[in-house]
Amino acid sequence: PPPPPPPAPPPPPPPPPSHSGRRVHGHSSSGRRRALRLSSSYRQHNRHHNYRRRRHHHNHRRHRRHPRHRHSHQHRRLAVLGADSTTTAVIGVGRVVGGGAGGGSTPPDGRGLPPPPLRRQRQAPQSSEEVERPSMPLPTRSTADPAARNFSALDHLTIAEAAGHAGNTSRQLDSIPRDFHESWAAANVRVIRALRHSGPDNEIEEVRALKMLLVLPSILLRKQPAARGGQQGRLATARLLASRFDRWERGDFGSLVAEWSSDCAKESQQRHTRRSRPADPERDIKAAVALLSKGKFSDAAKLLESHGLADISDPVVLQQMLTKHPRRRTAMPPVIPGLDATDRLVVGISEMQESYRGLKTDKAQGASPWKYEYLIPLAPTVPFVGDAARQVLESHAWLASSFANGDLPPWFYFVFCAARCVPLRKCAAQVGVAEAARPIGISCALRRGLTKGVFLNKGLRGEIEEYLFPQQLGVLVSAGGTKLIFGVRELLENPHFCIAGSDIYNAFNEGDRAEMVARTLVSSPGLAPLARLFYATLAPKYPIFVTGKGGGLTPMGRDGETGVAQGSVEAGVAFAISIHPELKVLDAELRPYGGGARAGHDDVRAVGPPHIVFPAMQRFHDALFARLGLVVQPAKCECWIDEAHIDSLDTHRGLVTRSHLLDGVTPYYGVMCYGIPIGSEEYIKLALAGKCDEIACISTKLITSLSSSHKQQLWLLTLFSTARKFEYFARHCYPDHSREACTRFDAIIHAQATHALGVSLDDDQFATARLALPRRYRGAGLRRMVDIAPAAFCGAMVQAVPAFLDVWADATNPASGVTQRGMLELPQVERTVGRNSFVDMQQHGWRAYQLPSSGAGSLPPPLQGQAFRRCWLLLQQEAGIATGAGPNGDRPTSVLHLPPEEAWPTARRSAGRLCLNMQKDLTDDLEAHRYDVLKMQINARHRSDRAVHLFRSLDRNSSAWVAALPGGYGLCNTGEWVEITARFFGVQSPICAGLVARGARLFGHLIDAFGDNLVAATGAGVTGGHIAKLRHDPILALLAEFARSVGAFARTEVGDIFGSVLAANPAAYHLYYGGVGRRPGPKVDLYAEYDHKGGRAVPRLLELKTMAFCRTRYRDTDGNYPGRAVGRRADSLPVERMAELIKIDRDFFHTTPGQTGPMQARAQTFCTAGGPAFAALVIGAFGEWSDDLESFVGDLASMGARALQARMGAPSAAQARSTLL
């Protein structure tokens, strides 16, 4: 048979848009205005190069359309595709990747977008200028097209305008309303799909898609130029977003772009007329309070503690910023040999999900409209409903892979890597003194999210750690700082050794980028793929912007040309890889002498004999300058050696400084290693005292700002921020050296806590002791640093010392293989620690490290081992532990019963993996002992003492105020707050104490200082006849509101449940009401229909009672039974209510004893599982809850967790439930 006819050729592509009326070499009037708005970085592009490039592209397309050349072009393209479609296995980085520069392979599970067509390899640049300042695609239209139905609506925009770098920035929404999350995800998928199906073969569509990616948040999620606040403003924003997303889904892109351009013009006009706001402490306090209401304690503390931003318009400040961003000294080569032969980086859906879910909100925005709040909704905990929205993570995973492998056009990296520079003051501003500032770089949020997904790959992280360990301990090493500090101190056990540190000037901003890429390429096969990412992001001299007048972006006047990318995720890894060859050489030179070199990022420390260390360090510095351009300042470097060998140090140190601190006029010497002082004992104590001075200044600032009107917020900052500022030093310094500083620090924190609580606890030893106990032991959780320090030091030792040596499969056979690498594999360390000592704690353990060696010439154990043993024995002595039991013999310990030679933490699982935490185990044992001691002291007092009743009655709900966020239900005003804290700690009420001093009376009775008889007072002049009504009604309304918020049905003060029974019997009705018109029957406090104990929804009758402290309720015979008074009241309440109904049956329905009347029968219909008809919701005088109340709130939280998990963004229903509770 005849051969089948050949397939019809594809239709020719549409001709390029006409450029009539637009001059190429010059600019029209509108084009000139746009060009004047561009930054200096964009104006330096070669327009002639752009013209030649466009003409070549036009001729090439016209040549392909000719029938005579179509067939040859098809064959040529197939040949190119065949050459690029080989598969490559990514070793240690990701999955097997299909070839082609597009990286568009379908995930293994088969879900997601269909694979895009294979993309042709992008043409390599011909010169360094094309790499460093790539040419920008010019607009293909001179005017906007409001009727455009695709991404051609952006054809009239320059790249700078689309990125918001041309003075056309807009204010963005702080977050996306939950109702628009799915629409936003679908919009992302649509843009990335357009990009995936474009490429070098369709440059116009590729440019359009990338423009849309840059401008997408501005088009859909910007604020109105004159947006209102409040409820009306939120409703207006919702209507506006609905209109925008509706037009997006209909493809009405022209009107969206036109509206965006109009709003940008209005915003620009307002920006020029807007006055610059001076620094306002009240504004910072308001912002910090808002952050605290979200639980962002660290961010709020940084905002209040910082010295603010320097004025970038000050020439002195601007010059400091320019100095920190030097010019590029070595041009980036247009082609890196061997780069294309490396394996490709692959980012999976799970990495992108983890990346976006781990982002933090309320972070500063970079030089881009993208925010973290726009990325977090793309990784929902409950899957989207629509098919398009479900593909968003797969789409972003493809985008991350393309970005990391350099598949996107060079001009896109130039724009996408742009950063915003923020000048942060180093100290408080002083009149007449020039400001000192340091630059903080903030990059695009989307860029950070994509790059973070790259580095979440476990295989890649393992390759990075394998290459950098053990010399570099600051990158991806668990407890790397702890291991660095203890490792350096271990080497300094030799008194003849010195320590020397390097001070690399402007380390992260000065390195040679071409050398960074080259070193990454040859580092290891597993790390070589990172060279693709580093080359793509470090090659361009990307622009840097600062915040100008009115909040817009203004070019700083210097581009990002050297060092790592400002504000990028990969900065630390890139810097560590770049200096690692020299660091390994330095370590190799010191190793034969028993020393070594270790680093935490740019903090390099060398230990060894002085005559070896300083020449080796000088060679290290020279090599850094020769290869990377990094300058080390010898005058700012520091060194130290034991005073007995100071002559050897002075002979060889040259210009390196002996750092010291002055105690009056006496100098004491030492060095700082990763923030921890190492040196003489006096030097360490002076350094820690200086740290306490800094914390005291911070505490004073917080007290001044918040103590008058924001006590609850001050308490949260005290508990979760200030109280933890010294723990790092207590953890890494010998307890003998830090004890004095810890005592002073505790005094600072106690003074701040006193201002925060609003009451003084100094006169009550039991209240002071409870302040330091955790909530589970009826305390407030404000632990004392003196108590924490020994346990923290032992915990750090357990993390560091077992990691000193390699762990062999067979301790006697080096050839058996290494199961775990050590950081100090040295002969003297093996002698003191012992090989595989911590594999068998009973046989070896800490014995070699804590006890003197036996035999002739025995040596004392290392100082760190001695310190560990002293701490352990002191802790055992404090706890009175010798046989593994507590003071009363009834509380077993976790670890303190072990001898110090066998000390080892208890294995537990956390987040699905095995976790060892010695500090937690020790703290648990010690706090249990302190609680037992306090309980015995309380029990020794007379049982009628109010403090005894208080201590016995408290439960975990009594301390809910301790960590309550100051927003919604948890917000307290100052008056409420001080009364809550006074009642919890059992001190006098601040309000009642003042009334007592004036001899005030209520209903003829004196008011006591604690306010107990005030709460229990009754009288005709009080609402409802008793003051307890003022507690009862708000709590009842709050419970009903909470029930409705989670989807339950709830009504308060319900009378028709039993009133309907009376109405059904006219005789009883008239008898009960005396012939008066219908009234409600006996009322029920709360009627609710909710899922009881995880089952189906059931109707329940709930009665709420609040208790005051009085002898009839809180009896002296209650003993040591927590919640006895509340439990007794809860047991009697259902019986009382049922007795009332039985009495109505007898009086009005004339039932006989033992006969079930209509009212009793009605109540029994609400019985659940044989329980009482009424659930007793009782709240005690000290905030304790009854079991029914706790069960009721827990059931509502479970309902809310299932219903609101997606809205809350919780990873699981269990976490959502804990959040609601």
Side-chain angles (χ1 to χ4, degrees):
S18 173
H19 306 299
S20 58
R22 181 176 178 84
R23 289 176 292 176
V24 177
H25 291 283
H27 291 283
S28 62
S29 58
S30 60
R32 189 178 300 111
R33 285 195 298 270
R34 280 196 297 271
L36 290 176
R37 291 198 300 267
L38 302 182
S39 67
S40 59
S41 302
Y42 290 96
R43 289 202 300 268
Q44 295 179 21
H45 294 173
N46 192 325
R47 293 195 301 270
H48 181 63
H49 174 78
N50 286 334
Y51 164 72
R52 294 185 59 188
R53 183 167 167 268
R54 287 176 54 124
R55 292 303 303 168
H56 171 74
H57 176 70
H58 179 72
N59 292 337
H60 178 69
R61 297 290 297 270
R62 183 176 60 183
H63 179 69
R64 287 186 59 187
R65 286 197 301 269
H66 198 282
R68 195 172 53 187
H69 300 281
R70 185 181 303 155
H71 185 69
S72 60
H73 275 280
Q74 290 174 352
H75 275 284
R76 188 177 302 117
R77 187 180 181 209
L78 288 175
V80 172
L81 292 178
D84 291 343
S85 60
T86 56
T87 58
T88 307
V90 182
I91 303 175
V93 178
R95 303 183 301 267
V96 175
V97 183
S105 58
T106 304
D109 55 7
R111 295 178 298 176
L113 295 173
L118 293 173
R119 304 169 69 177
R120 192 182 59 183
Q121 193 77 358
R122 198 176 301 278
Q123 184 178 0
Q126 301 300 317
S127 65
S128 296
E129 181 66 21
E130 293 184 33
V131 174
E132 297 175 343
R133 299 192 183 278
S135 57
M136 296 287 147
L138 295 178
T140 56
R141 292 181 61 91
S142 58
T143 59
D145 182 10
R149 307 292 298 179
N150 52 31
F151 293 170
S152 63
L154 303 174
D155 286 349
H156 66 291
L157 296 177
T158 63
I159 300 299
E161 289 171 337
H165 298 168
N168 60 334
T169 54
S170 58
R171 294 184 301 156
Q172 298 297 119
L173 292 175
D174 295 331
S175 61
I176 306 175
R178 178 66 184 85
D179 295 337
F180 299 98
H181 283 186
E182 185 155 342
S183 299
W184 170 245
N188 276 260
V189 172
R190 187 169 189 171
V191 174
I192 298 176
R193 179 188 288 120
L195 178 61
R196 294 181 73 169
H197 288 78
S198 63
D201 292 333
N202 196 346
E203 185 179 359
I204 294 178
E205 293 299 330
E206 182 183 53
V207 171
R208 289 172 176 170
L210 289 175
K211 280 185 180 180
M212 185 58 75
L213 183 66
L214 294 172
V215 80
L216 184 63
S218 293
I219 288 180
L220 295 178
L221 303 176
R222 71 186 181 281
K223 293 181 179 179
Q224 285 292 87
R228 297 176 56 187
Q231 181 67 20
Q232 294 298 323
R234 288 191 291 271
L235 292 175
T237 299
R239 289 192 295 267
L240 186 64
L241 290 179
S243 172
R244 289 176 185 168
F245 280 108
D246 180 63
R247 282 180 285 168
W248 175 274
E249 292 171 2
R250 289 188 285 107
D252 192 4
F253 301 105
S255 65
L256 284 172
V257 174
E259 184 183 90
W260 165 73
S261 300
S262 175
D263 287 349
C264 287
K266 295 177 184 177
E267 182 70 26
S268 178
Q269 185 178 4
Q270 293 177 5
R271 191 181 304 121
H272 288 294
T273 59
R274 192 180 300 151
R275 295 181 180 179
S276 299
R277 295 189 300 177
D280 184 6
E282 290 298 326
R283 187 169 62 244
D284 292 342
I285 292 175
K286 185 177 180 180
V289 168
L291 290 172
L292 287 171
S293 67
K294 303 176 184 178
K296 298 182 178 298
F297 309 116
S298 177
D299 292 344
K302 290 177 183 177
L303 180 61
L304 293 174
E305 297 168 7
S306 72
H307 301 294
L309 302 180
D311 185 7
I312 195 63
S313 61
D314 185 350
V316 176
V317 176
L318 179 60
Q319 185 58 43
Q320 293 177 26
M321 300 299 104
L322 297 179
T323 303
K324 292 292 186 178
H325 295 85
R327 300 285 188 187
R328 183 172 293 185
R329 292 176 291 271
T330 304
M332 182 69 71
V335 177
I336 303 291
L339 183 64
D340 292 337
T342 60
D343 299 326
R344 293 175 56 81
L345 294 164
V346 177
V347 182
I349 295 177
S350 60
E351 286 87 3
M352 293 311 302
Q353 184 181 70
E354 183 180 356
S355 171
Y356 287 172
R357 288 184 180 178
L359 297 176
K360 305 297 183 182
T361 58
D362 297 295
K363 297 299 182 181
Q365 188 176 344
S368 163
W370 284 90
K371 292 183 175 183
Y372 289 154
E373 288 82 352
Y374 302 163
L375 299 176
I376 295 173
L378 302 181
T381 56
V382 177
F384 290 123
V385 177
D387 293 335
R390 288 184 178 184
Q391 299 168 356
V392 65
L393 284 177
E394 195 275 338
S395 298
H396 275 253
W398 176 88
L399 180 63
S401 299
S402 300
F403 173 77
N405 289 291
D407 295 340
L408 303 176
W411 62 263
F412 179 76
Y413 292 92
F414 178 86
V415 176
F416 201 49
C417 294
R420 183 166 71 94
C421 181
V422 177
L424 196 65
R425 286 197 185 108
K426 294 182 179 180
C427 57
Q430 302 178 8
V431 179
V433 179
E435 289 188 322
R438 60 188 181 93
I440 300 296
I442 307 173
S443 61
C444 172
L446 177 60
R447 179 213 193 289
R448 289 182 59 86
L450 297 176
T451 314
K452 184 180 177 183
V454 175
F455 285 91
L456 284 174
N457 186 289
K458 294 181 180 179
L460 178 60
R461 295 172 69 88
E463 292 286 348
I464 294 173
E465 182 179 357
E466 179 71 19
Y467 177 71
L468 298 178
F469 192 83
Q471 289 81 17
Q472 178 60 258
L473 299 174
V475 179
L476 300 182
V477 177
S478 177
T482 299
K483 295 174 182 177
L484 171 64
I485 295 165
F486 281 88
V488 167
R489 262 204 304 251
E490 181 67 25
L491 295 178
L492 289 174
E493 294 284 346
N494 188 335
H496 299 277
F497 280 10
C498 72
I499 177 175
S502 296
D503 182 88
I504 304 176
Y505 171 75
N506 198 21
F508 283 82
N509 280 355
E510 293 278 347
D512 185 272
R513 292 184 172 182
E515 185 66 20
M516 288 183 182
V517 176
R519 292 188 171 203
T520 305
L521 187 61
V522 300
S523 57
S524 71
L527 293 187
L530 280 177
R532 293 174 173 267
L533 172 64
F534 294 163
Y535 181 74
T537 56
L538 299 179
K541 299 178 179 179
Y542 54 80
I544 298 178
F545 298 90
V546 294
T547 303
K549 181 180 178 181
L553 294 178
T554 302
M556 188 178 70
R558 186 68 56 81
D559 298 332
E561 302 184 14
T562 60
V564 293
Q566 281 283 314
S568 63
V569 175
E570 72 277 8
V573 176
F575 178 82
I577 293 176
S578 66
I579 69 169
H580 198 63
E582 285 75 18
L583 185 59
K584 289 180 66 175
V585 171
L586 175 62
D587 182 55
E589 292 187 39
L590 301 176
R591 186 182 180 85
Y593 301 91
R598 297 295 181 266
H601 294 289
D602 61 331
D603 188 359
V604 180
R605 293 294 180 263
V607 181
H611 68 282
I612 301 297
V613 167
F614 290 102
M617 287 290 285
Q618 184 60 48
R619 291 188 290 271
F620 173 71
H621 298 163
D622 294 342
L624 290 181
F625 178 75
R627 299 296 302 273
L628 292 168
L630 296 175
V631 177
V632 178
Q633 307 172 94
K636 291 189 176 182
C637 297
E638 53 186 7
C639 62
W640 175 81
I641 198 172
D642 188 86
E643 290 295 327
H645 306 279
I646 192 64
D647 294 338
S648 174
L649 183 72
D650 290 338
T651 302
H652 299 94
R653 66 184 177 90
L655 298 178
V656 178
T657 306
R658 286 184 66 202
S659 58
H660 64 276
L661 294 174
L662 293 176
D663 183 8
V665 295
T666 306
Y668 295 102
Y669 296 91
V671 297
M672 300 298 291
C673 179
Y674 220 62
I676 296 299
I678 294 178
S680 65
E681 181 176 347
E682 294 80 5
Y683 174 86
I684 295 173
K685 291 182 177 180
L686 286 174
L688 296 179
K691 187 63 183 179
C692 286
D693 292 338
E694 296 178 17
I695 297 173
C697 293
I698 292 173
S699 178
T700 302
K701 187 175 182 180
L702 293 177
I703 292 172
T704 304
S705 302
L706 300 175
S707 63
S708 60
S709 58
H710 297 91
K711 290 186 179 296
Q712 184 180 10
Q713 289 81 358
L714 180 59
W715 164 256
L716 290 173
L717 286 177
T718 304
L719 182 64
F720 293 110
S721 178
T722 316
R724 302 181 180 183
K725 289 186 179 296
F726 202 77
E727 186 173 351
Y728 180 75
F729 301 92
R731 180 177 173 82
H732 295 99
C733 294
Y734 292 141
D736 296 340
H737 296 167
S738 64
R739 186 172 295 111
E740 182 179 343
C742 288
T743 303
R744 184 187 170 197
F745 174 79
D746 288 337
I748 296 171
I749 296 302
H750 185 78
Q752 182 174 326
T754 301
H755 284 88
L757 295 173
V759 294
S760 175
L761 309 180
D762 296 338
D763 299 332
D764 190 332
Q765 61 171 339
F766 298 115
T768 304
R770 285 178 51 221
L771 178 65
L773 286 176
R775 291 176 57 187
R776 66 179 178 272
Y777 292 138
R778 306 172 191 180
L782 191 64
R783 295 181 172 96
R784 290 187 291 261
M785 195 56 61
V786 171
D787 299 334
I788 293 176
F793 178 78
C794 291
M797 287 279 290
V798 170
Q799 283 186 324
V801 176
F804 283 172
L805 295 173
D806 293 344
V807 177
W808 295 351
D810 183 356
T812 61
N813 182 13
S816 61
V818 176
T819 60
Q820 177 183 316
R821 293 180 63 190
M823 55 164 292
L824 284 180
E825 186 61 35
L826 295 169
Q828 73 269 25
V829 178
E830 185 176 2
R831 286 194 299 270
T832 56
V833 177
R835 179 74 61 187
N836 288 16
S837 292
F838 302 97
V839 175
D840 186 352
M841 297 300 299
Q842 294 184 352
Q843 286 288 9
H844 303 286
W846 298 89
R847 289 171 176 80
Y849 201 66
Q850 294 180 4
L851 302 176
S853 58
S854 58
S858 62
L859 297 174
L863 296 178
Q864 294 186 145
Q866 298 178 38
F868 182 89
R869 186 176 184 83
R870 285 197 304 272
C871 281
W872 194 269
L873 295 176
L874 285 174
L875 292 178
Q876 286 185 327
Q877 181 181 356
E878 177 191 349
I881 293 176
T883 60
N888 297 328
D890 58 352
R891 188 186 293 274
T893 60
S894 298
V895 293
L896 264 181
H897 61 280
L898 298 171
E901 305 87 32
E902 299 178 12
W904 195 251
T906 303
R908 59 171 58 87
R909 288 203 167 271
S910 176
R913 60 188 181 88
L914 197 64
C915 179
L916 300 175
N917 193 331
M918 174 65 84
Q919 181 177 345
K920 184 181 186 307
D921 292 337
L922 285 172
T923 303
D924 290 345
D925 288 348
L926 292 168
E927 287 177 341
H929 163 72
R930 291 165 189 151
Y931 173 72
D932 288 339
V933 172
L934 179 62
K935 187 166 61 174
M936 288 189 294
Q937 294 174 352
I938 290 286
N939 291 336
R941 304 180 71 166
H942 194 274
R943 61 186 182 181
S944 63
D945 194 329
R946 187 178 187 276
V948 176
H949 286 286
L950 168 66
F951 187 78
R952 292 173 178 174
S953 301
L954 294 174
D955 63 6
R956 68 186 187 97
N957 301 299
S958 304
S959 59
W961 62 272
V962 170
L965 298 181
Y969 301 143
L971 179 63
C972 303
N973 59 42
T974 302
E976 295 170 339
W977 176 257
V978 296
E979 292 297 320
I980 290 172
T981 59
R983 181 155 289 264
F984 178 79
F985 287 106
V987 299
Q988 294 183 357
S989 162
I991 294 178
C992 293
L995 295 175
V996 170
R998 295 196 296 269
R1001 290 175 174 268
L1002 182 68
F1003 305 133
H1005 299 283
L1006 287 174
I1007 299 174
D1008 69 299
F1010 297 100
D1012 294 330
N1013 58 2
L1014 178 64
V1015 175
T1018 60
V1022 182
T1023 302
H1026 51 88
I1027 285 183
K1029 194 75 172 175
L1030 302 178
R1031 295 175 62 202
H1032 176 278
D1033 290 354
I1035 295 174
L1036 184 63
L1038 183 63
L1039 289 173
E1041 181 183 352
F1042 180 49
R1044 297 186 194 106
S1045 68
V1046 299
F1049 177 80
R1051 291 171 56 198
T1052 60
E1053 302 293 345
V1054 182
D1056 55 358
I1057 292 177
F1058 297 103
S1060 61
V1061 178
L1062 290 169
N1065 191 317
Y1069 177 82
H1070 288 287
L1071 185 62
Y1072 183 82
Y1073 292 113
V1076 183
R1078 174 168 181 170
R1079 297 175 183 174
K1083 289 185 178 181
V1084 177
D1085 281 342
L1086 181 61
Y1087 170 78
E1089 297 177 5
Y1090 63 97
D1091 299 344
H1092 180 50
K1093 295 184 178 179
R1096 59 182 180 84
V1098 295
R1100 299 207 71 192
L1101 305 180
L1102 304 106
E1103 286 292 325
L1104 175 66
K1105 294 295 180 182
T1106 59
M1107 296 172 54
F1109 179 73
C1110 57
R1111 299 303 176 183
T1112 58
R1113 298 295 184 191
Y1114 291 84
R1115 302 173 184 174
D1116 297 344
T1117 58
D1118 283 346
N1120 290 324
Y1121 298 101
R1124 184 70 177 269
V1126 168
R1128 184 168 49 246
R1129 184 71 183 98
D1131 292 341
S1132 65
L1133 183 58
V1135 178
E1136 293 175 3
R1137 290 308 313 269
M1138 188 62 75
E1140 294 174 6
L1141 297 177
I1142 293 174
K1143 187 176 185 303
I1144 293 175
D1145 283 335
R1146 291 178 180 178
D1147 294 344
F1148 303 102
F1149 291 93
H1150 309 293
T1151 60
T1152 60
Q1155 181 182 1
T1156 301
M1159 301 292 277
Q1160 183 182 1
R1162 178 60 172 156
Q1164 288 175 350
T1165 61
F1166 295 95
C1167 294
T1168 57
F1174 296 89
L1177 313 182
V1178 183
I1179 299 180
F1182 306 109
E1184 67 271 34
W1185 290 10
S1186 65
D1187 293 340
D1188 282 349
L1189 176 57
E1190 192 158 357
S1191 175
F1192 176 60
V1193 174
D1195 290 340
L1196 294 181
S1198 299
M1199 285 185 63
R1202 294 190 295 270
L1204 303 177
Q1205 178 186 355
R1207 185 174 294 274
M1208 296 170 63
S1212 65
Q1215 294 188 16
R1217 183 181 186 275
S1218 64
T1219 302
L1220 289 173
L1221 288 176

